[in-house]
Short mmCIF file of all heavy atoms in Angstrom, two decimals:
data_model
loop_
_atom_site.label_atom_id
_atom_site.label_comp_id
_atom_site.label_asym_id
_atom_site.label_seq_id
_atom_site.Cartn_x
_atom_site.Cartn_y
_atom_site.Cartn_z
N LYS A 32 81.36 56.04 113.56
CA LYS A 32 82.61 56.41 112.89
C LYS A 32 83.35 57.47 113.69
O LYS A 32 84.58 57.51 113.69
CB LYS A 32 82.33 56.91 111.48
CG LYS A 32 81.98 55.82 110.48
CD LYS A 32 81.87 56.34 109.08
CE LYS A 32 81.79 55.22 108.06
NZ LYS A 32 80.82 54.18 108.39
N TYR A 54 87.87 34.46 115.19
CA TYR A 54 88.76 35.38 115.89
C TYR A 54 88.36 36.82 115.63
O TYR A 54 88.16 37.23 114.48
CB TYR A 54 90.20 35.17 115.42
CG TYR A 54 91.22 36.00 116.15
CD1 TYR A 54 91.78 35.57 117.35
CD2 TYR A 54 91.62 37.24 115.65
CE1 TYR A 54 92.71 36.35 118.02
CE2 TYR A 54 92.56 38.01 116.32
CZ TYR A 54 93.09 37.56 117.50
OH TYR A 54 94.01 38.32 118.17
N TYR A 58 92.00 46.97 118.33
CA TYR A 58 93.27 47.68 118.38
C TYR A 58 92.98 49.17 118.55
O TYR A 58 91.95 49.66 118.13
CB TYR A 58 94.06 47.50 117.09
CG TYR A 58 94.54 46.10 116.81
CD1 TYR A 58 93.73 45.17 116.17
CD2 TYR A 58 95.83 45.70 117.16
CE1 TYR A 58 94.16 43.88 115.91
CE2 TYR A 58 96.28 44.42 116.89
CZ TYR A 58 95.45 43.52 116.27
OH TYR A 58 95.90 42.24 116.01
N GLN A 60 94.93 52.94 117.68
CA GLN A 60 96.01 53.54 116.91
C GLN A 60 96.25 54.95 117.40
O GLN A 60 95.36 55.80 117.35
CB GLN A 60 95.69 53.57 115.41
CG GLN A 60 96.82 54.16 114.58
CD GLN A 60 96.51 54.19 113.09
OE1 GLN A 60 95.38 53.99 112.67
NE2 GLN A 60 97.52 54.41 112.28
N GLY A 63 102.38 57.92 116.05
CA GLY A 63 103.74 57.50 116.36
C GLY A 63 103.85 56.17 117.09
O GLY A 63 104.95 55.76 117.47
N GLY A 65 101.79 53.18 116.08
CA GLY A 65 101.22 52.04 115.37
C GLY A 65 99.92 51.58 116.01
O GLY A 65 99.26 52.32 116.74
N LEU A 66 99.54 50.34 115.75
CA LEU A 66 98.33 49.76 116.32
C LEU A 66 98.73 48.85 117.47
O LEU A 66 99.66 48.05 117.35
CB LEU A 66 97.56 48.95 115.27
CG LEU A 66 96.69 49.71 114.30
CD1 LEU A 66 97.51 50.43 113.25
CD2 LEU A 66 95.68 48.77 113.64
N LEU A 68 97.19 46.08 120.44
CA LEU A 68 96.08 45.18 120.73
C LEU A 68 95.50 45.46 122.12
O LEU A 68 96.22 45.49 123.12
CB LEU A 68 96.56 43.73 120.65
CG LEU A 68 95.53 42.65 120.86
CD1 LEU A 68 94.48 42.67 119.75
CD2 LEU A 68 96.21 41.28 120.90
N TYR A 71 91.08 40.58 122.68
CA TYR A 71 90.77 39.72 121.56
C TYR A 71 89.89 38.56 122.02
O TYR A 71 89.75 38.30 123.23
CB TYR A 71 92.05 39.20 120.89
CG TYR A 71 92.90 38.30 121.74
CD1 TYR A 71 92.82 36.92 121.62
CD2 TYR A 71 93.82 38.83 122.64
CE1 TYR A 71 93.61 36.08 122.39
CE2 TYR A 71 94.61 38.01 123.42
CZ TYR A 71 94.51 36.64 123.29
OH TYR A 71 95.30 35.80 124.07
N VAL A 111 92.10 56.30 117.65
CA VAL A 111 91.31 55.65 116.61
C VAL A 111 91.27 54.16 116.93
O VAL A 111 92.32 53.55 117.16
CB VAL A 111 91.90 55.88 115.21
CG1 VAL A 111 91.07 55.15 114.16
CG2 VAL A 111 91.96 57.38 114.89
N PHE A 113 90.22 50.26 115.98
CA PHE A 113 89.96 49.33 114.88
C PHE A 113 89.55 47.98 115.42
O PHE A 113 90.16 47.46 116.36
CB PHE A 113 91.20 49.15 114.01
CG PHE A 113 91.52 50.32 113.14
CD1 PHE A 113 92.43 51.28 113.57
CD2 PHE A 113 90.91 50.48 111.91
CE1 PHE A 113 92.74 52.36 112.77
CE2 PHE A 113 91.21 51.57 111.10
CZ PHE A 113 92.12 52.51 111.55
N SER A 117 89.21 37.30 111.75
CA SER A 117 89.88 36.34 110.87
C SER A 117 89.45 34.93 111.25
O SER A 117 88.89 34.69 112.33
CB SER A 117 91.40 36.46 110.97
OG SER A 117 91.85 36.09 112.26
N ILE A 120 94.28 30.31 111.67
CA ILE A 120 95.31 29.81 110.77
C ILE A 120 95.21 30.45 109.38
O ILE A 120 95.97 30.12 108.49
CB ILE A 120 95.30 28.26 110.66
CG1 ILE A 120 95.16 27.62 112.03
CG2 ILE A 120 96.57 27.75 110.02
CD1 ILE A 120 95.12 26.11 112.01
N SER A 121 94.30 31.39 109.21
CA SER A 121 94.27 32.13 107.94
C SER A 121 95.43 33.12 107.95
O SER A 121 96.03 33.39 108.98
CB SER A 121 92.96 32.87 107.77
OG SER A 121 92.90 33.96 108.67
N ASN A 122 95.72 33.65 106.83
CA ASN A 122 96.84 34.59 106.74
C ASN A 122 96.38 36.01 106.52
O ASN A 122 97.15 36.84 106.08
CB ASN A 122 97.79 34.17 105.63
CG ASN A 122 98.74 33.11 106.11
OD1 ASN A 122 99.05 33.03 107.27
ND2 ASN A 122 99.20 32.27 105.18
N GLU A 123 95.14 36.29 106.83
CA GLU A 123 94.68 37.66 106.65
C GLU A 123 93.66 38.02 107.71
O GLU A 123 92.70 37.29 107.94
CB GLU A 123 94.06 37.87 105.27
CG GLU A 123 93.62 39.31 105.03
CD GLU A 123 93.21 39.57 103.60
OE1 GLU A 123 93.22 38.63 102.80
OE2 GLU A 123 92.88 40.73 103.29
N GLN A 124 93.87 39.15 108.35
CA GLN A 124 92.87 39.73 109.23
C GLN A 124 92.16 40.84 108.46
O GLN A 124 92.80 41.62 107.76
CB GLN A 124 93.51 40.28 110.50
CG GLN A 124 93.96 39.19 111.44
CD GLN A 124 94.17 39.68 112.85
OE1 GLN A 124 93.65 40.71 113.26
NE2 GLN A 124 94.95 38.93 113.61
N PHE A 126 90.02 44.23 108.60
CA PHE A 126 89.84 45.35 109.51
C PHE A 126 88.57 46.12 109.17
O PHE A 126 88.21 46.27 107.99
CB PHE A 126 91.03 46.30 109.44
CG PHE A 126 92.25 45.80 110.17
CD1 PHE A 126 93.11 44.91 109.57
CD2 PHE A 126 92.50 46.21 111.47
CE1 PHE A 126 94.23 44.43 110.24
CE2 PHE A 126 93.62 45.75 112.15
CZ PHE A 126 94.48 44.85 111.54
N GLY A 127 87.93 46.64 110.22
CA GLY A 127 86.83 47.57 110.03
C GLY A 127 87.36 48.95 109.68
O GLY A 127 88.58 49.16 109.66
N PRO A 128 86.47 49.90 109.40
CA PRO A 128 86.87 51.24 108.96
C PRO A 128 87.38 52.14 110.07
O PRO A 128 87.90 53.21 109.81
CB PRO A 128 85.59 51.81 108.36
CG PRO A 128 84.51 51.09 109.09
CD PRO A 128 85.02 49.72 109.37
N GLY A 129 87.24 51.71 111.32
CA GLY A 129 87.75 52.49 112.43
C GLY A 129 86.73 53.43 113.04
O GLY A 129 85.78 53.87 112.37
N ARG A 131 86.90 57.01 115.33
CA ARG A 131 87.74 58.05 115.93
C ARG A 131 87.05 58.56 117.18
O ARG A 131 85.95 59.12 117.10
CB ARG A 131 87.98 59.20 114.97
CG ARG A 131 88.85 60.30 115.58
CD ARG A 131 89.17 61.41 114.58
NE ARG A 131 90.04 60.96 113.51
CZ ARG A 131 91.35 60.85 113.60
NH1 ARG A 131 91.96 61.18 114.73
NH2 ARG A 131 92.06 60.45 112.56
N TYR B 40 104.64 34.78 110.81
CA TYR B 40 104.24 35.44 109.58
C TYR B 40 104.59 36.92 109.69
O TYR B 40 104.55 37.51 110.76
CB TYR B 40 102.74 35.30 109.35
CG TYR B 40 102.26 33.86 109.29
CD1 TYR B 40 101.81 33.21 110.43
CD2 TYR B 40 102.27 33.16 108.09
CE1 TYR B 40 101.37 31.90 110.38
CE2 TYR B 40 101.84 31.85 108.03
CZ TYR B 40 101.39 31.23 109.18
OH TYR B 40 100.96 29.92 109.13
N PHE B 42 103.81 40.79 107.68
CA PHE B 42 102.85 41.46 106.82
C PHE B 42 103.26 42.92 106.61
O PHE B 42 103.91 43.53 107.46
CB PHE B 42 101.45 41.47 107.47
CG PHE B 42 100.94 40.12 107.87
CD1 PHE B 42 101.26 39.59 109.11
CD2 PHE B 42 100.12 39.40 107.03
CE1 PHE B 42 100.78 38.35 109.51
CE2 PHE B 42 99.63 38.16 107.41
CZ PHE B 42 99.96 37.63 108.65
N TYR B 44 100.97 46.32 105.79
CA TYR B 44 99.65 46.90 105.63
C TYR B 44 99.80 48.33 105.13
O TYR B 44 100.70 49.05 105.54
CB TYR B 44 98.89 46.92 106.96
CG TYR B 44 98.27 45.60 107.34
CD1 TYR B 44 98.99 44.67 108.09
CD2 TYR B 44 96.96 45.29 106.97
CE1 TYR B 44 98.41 43.45 108.45
CE2 TYR B 44 96.39 44.07 107.33
CZ TYR B 44 97.12 43.16 108.06
OH TYR B 44 96.55 41.97 108.42
N GLN B 46 97.78 52.04 104.90
CA GLN B 46 96.67 52.81 105.45
C GLN B 46 96.61 54.15 104.73
O GLN B 46 97.33 55.08 105.05
CB GLN B 46 96.83 53.02 106.96
CG GLN B 46 95.60 53.69 107.58
CD GLN B 46 95.74 53.91 109.06
OE1 GLN B 46 96.78 54.36 109.54
NE2 GLN B 46 94.70 53.59 109.82
N SER B 49 91.94 57.41 103.93
CA SER B 49 90.61 56.90 104.32
C SER B 49 90.63 56.16 105.64
O SER B 49 89.58 55.89 106.23
CB SER B 49 90.07 55.97 103.24
OG SER B 49 90.86 54.77 103.18
N ARG B 50 91.82 55.82 106.12
CA ARG B 50 92.02 55.14 107.41
C ARG B 50 91.86 53.62 107.32
O ARG B 50 92.20 52.91 108.26
CB ARG B 50 91.04 55.71 108.45
CG ARG B 50 91.50 55.66 109.87
CD ARG B 50 90.61 56.51 110.73
NE ARG B 50 89.23 56.08 110.77
CZ ARG B 50 88.23 56.84 111.21
NH1 ARG B 50 88.46 58.08 111.58
NH2 ARG B 50 86.99 56.38 111.23
N GLN B 51 91.36 53.11 106.21
CA GLN B 51 91.16 51.67 106.08
C GLN B 51 92.50 50.95 106.06
O GLN B 51 93.43 51.38 105.38
CB GLN B 51 90.40 51.37 104.78
CG GLN B 51 90.09 49.91 104.57
CD GLN B 51 89.08 49.38 105.57
OE1 GLN B 51 88.04 49.97 105.82
NE2 GLN B 51 89.40 48.24 106.16
N MET B 52 92.61 49.84 106.79
CA MET B 52 93.83 49.03 106.80
C MET B 52 93.72 48.00 105.67
O MET B 52 92.78 47.20 105.64
CB MET B 52 93.99 48.32 108.13
CG MET B 52 94.22 49.25 109.31
SD MET B 52 95.84 50.03 109.25
CE MET B 52 96.89 48.66 109.66
N LEU B 54 95.72 44.98 103.50
CA LEU B 54 96.86 44.07 103.43
C LEU B 54 97.53 44.19 102.07
O LEU B 54 96.87 44.04 101.04
CB LEU B 54 96.40 42.64 103.68
CG LEU B 54 97.50 41.57 103.59
CD1 LEU B 54 98.53 41.78 104.70
CD2 LEU B 54 96.90 40.18 103.68
N ARG B 57 102.17 39.43 102.32
CA ARG B 57 102.48 38.63 103.51
C ARG B 57 103.57 37.62 103.16
O ARG B 57 103.73 37.22 102.00
CB ARG B 57 101.24 37.92 104.02
CG ARG B 57 100.54 37.08 102.98
CD ARG B 57 99.35 36.36 103.55
NE ARG B 57 98.49 35.85 102.49
CZ ARG B 57 97.27 36.31 102.26
NH1 ARG B 57 96.77 37.27 103.00
NH2 ARG B 57 96.55 35.79 101.30
N GLU B 59 105.42 34.01 104.82
CA GLU B 59 105.54 32.97 105.83
C GLU B 59 107.02 32.74 106.09
O GLU B 59 107.80 32.61 105.15
CB GLU B 59 104.89 31.66 105.35
CG GLU B 59 103.39 31.73 105.22
CD GLU B 59 102.91 32.28 103.87
OE1 GLU B 59 103.76 32.76 103.08
OE2 GLU B 59 101.70 32.23 103.60
N PHE B 98 102.50 49.98 107.42
CA PHE B 98 102.82 49.33 108.68
C PHE B 98 103.34 47.92 108.43
O PHE B 98 102.75 47.15 107.67
CB PHE B 98 101.59 49.23 109.58
CG PHE B 98 101.11 50.56 110.09
CD1 PHE B 98 100.07 51.24 109.47
CD2 PHE B 98 101.68 51.13 111.22
CE1 PHE B 98 99.62 52.45 109.94
CE2 PHE B 98 101.24 52.34 111.70
CZ PHE B 98 100.21 53.01 111.06
N ARG B 102 103.19 38.16 113.26
CA ARG B 102 102.26 37.26 113.96
C ARG B 102 102.92 35.91 114.16
O ARG B 102 103.49 35.35 113.22
CB ARG B 102 100.97 37.11 113.15
CG ARG B 102 99.98 36.14 113.75
CD ARG B 102 98.63 36.26 113.05
NE ARG B 102 98.61 35.67 111.72
CZ ARG B 102 98.45 34.39 111.45
NH1 ARG B 102 98.34 33.52 112.43
NH2 ARG B 102 98.42 33.96 110.21
N PHE B 104 103.05 31.88 114.56
CA PHE B 104 102.30 30.75 114.02
C PHE B 104 101.36 30.23 115.09
O PHE B 104 101.75 30.06 116.24
CB PHE B 104 103.26 29.66 113.56
CG PHE B 104 102.56 28.46 113.00
CD1 PHE B 104 102.06 28.48 111.71
CD2 PHE B 104 102.40 27.31 113.76
CE1 PHE B 104 101.41 27.38 111.19
CE2 PHE B 104 101.76 26.21 113.24
CZ PHE B 104 101.26 26.24 111.95
N ASN B 106 98.77 31.74 116.29
CA ASN B 106 98.28 32.84 117.11
C ASN B 106 97.85 33.95 116.17
O ASN B 106 98.56 34.26 115.22
CB ASN B 106 99.41 33.31 118.03
CG ASN B 106 98.99 34.35 119.02
OD1 ASN B 106 98.25 35.26 118.70
ND2 ASN B 106 99.49 34.22 120.23
N GLU B 107 96.69 34.54 116.44
CA GLU B 107 96.19 35.57 115.53
C GLU B 107 96.60 36.99 115.93
O GLU B 107 96.28 37.95 115.24
CB GLU B 107 94.66 35.50 115.46
CG GLU B 107 94.12 34.21 114.88
CD GLU B 107 94.49 34.03 113.42
OE1 GLU B 107 94.28 34.98 112.64
OE2 GLU B 107 95.00 32.96 113.05
N LYS B 108 97.30 37.14 117.03
CA LYS B 108 97.63 38.48 117.52
C LYS B 108 98.72 39.11 116.66
O LYS B 108 99.78 38.53 116.45
CB LYS B 108 98.08 38.42 118.97
CG LYS B 108 96.98 38.01 119.93
CD LYS B 108 97.43 38.13 121.37
CE LYS B 108 98.34 37.02 121.78
NZ LYS B 108 98.68 37.08 123.22
N LEU B 109 98.45 40.33 116.20
CA LEU B 109 99.41 41.06 115.39
C LEU B 109 100.17 42.07 116.25
O LEU B 109 99.58 42.76 117.08
CB LEU B 109 98.69 41.82 114.27
CG LEU B 109 98.13 41.00 113.11
CD1 LEU B 109 97.23 41.86 112.25
CD2 LEU B 109 99.26 40.41 112.29
N PHE B 111 102.44 45.41 115.60
CA PHE B 111 102.71 46.37 114.52
C PHE B 111 103.94 47.22 114.82
O PHE B 111 104.26 47.50 115.99
CB PHE B 111 101.52 47.32 114.36
CG PHE B 111 100.33 46.70 113.68
CD1 PHE B 111 99.38 46.01 114.41
CD2 PHE B 111 100.16 46.82 112.31
CE1 PHE B 111 98.28 45.44 113.79
CE2 PHE B 111 99.06 46.26 111.67
CZ PHE B 111 98.12 45.56 112.42
N GLY B 112 104.58 47.67 113.75
CA GLY B 112 105.57 48.72 113.86
C GLY B 112 104.87 50.07 113.94
O GLY B 112 103.65 50.16 113.87
N THR B 113 105.68 51.13 114.05
CA THR B 113 105.12 52.47 114.22
C THR B 113 104.75 53.13 112.92
O THR B 113 104.16 54.20 112.91
CB THR B 113 106.11 53.36 114.98
OG1 THR B 113 107.38 53.29 114.32
CG2 THR B 113 106.26 52.89 116.42
#
Side-chain angles (χ1 to χ4, degrees):
Chain A
K32 286 186 169 48
Y54 184 86
Y58 294 85
Q60 181 180 13
L66 280 74
L68 182 65
Y71 65 98
V111 178
F113 287 95
S117 65
I120 315 179
S121 71
N122 278 332
E123 182 171 3
Q124 287 199 21
F126 283 83
R131 180 176 292 279
Chain B
Y40 302 93
F42 306 87
Y44 280 90
Q46 186 180 45
S49 67
R50 209 167 62 196
Q51 182 68 48
M52 295 290 288
L54 178 65
R57 54 178 165 248
E59 292 86 352
F98 292 97
R102 176 169 74 82
F104 180 79
N106 186 319
E107 297 294 311
K108 293 188 284 185
L109 287 169
F111 285 87
T113 52

